[in-house]
Amino acid sequence: MSVIYVLLAISIIVAIIFFTAFIFSVKNGQYDDSYTPSVRMLFEDELVTDYSKEEKTNKNKSIQLNKE
């Protein structure tokens, strides 16, 4: 039964060591993505329609129709 307590203590210590190593590597920028921004310009962007321009032209057309 005492072996379980020893193994539990050792596993918690190992988990704490790995957790601190992970936090240390994140703070030092180990997981920062430096590749994607350099190739992002090579991918085509999706077409984005500007709805505010369409609304303005529709309002202008309706105003012109009302004047006639």
Side-chain angles (χ1 to χ4, degrees), residues 5-43:
Y5 296 128
V6 172
L7 290 175
L8 186 63
I10 291 172
S11 65
I12 290 174
I13 291 170
V14 169
I16 290 171
I17 290 170
F18 278 113
F19 183 69
T20 54
F22 173 73
I23 296 297
F24 180 73
S25 64
V26 167
K27 285 186 178 183
N28 285 334
Q30 180 71 29
Y31 295 108
D32 288 345
D33 186 14
S34 61
Y35 177 71
T36 302
S38 64
V39 297
R40 186 173 293 153
M41 67 178 188
L42 300 176
F43 300 122

Side-chain angles (χ1 to χ4, degrees), residues 54-64:
E54 291 178 11
E55 290 175 1
K56 288 178 184 177
T57 57
N58 289 339
K59 286 181 182 178
N60 289 338
K61 287 180 183 177
S62 65
I63 292 172
Q64 289 176 353

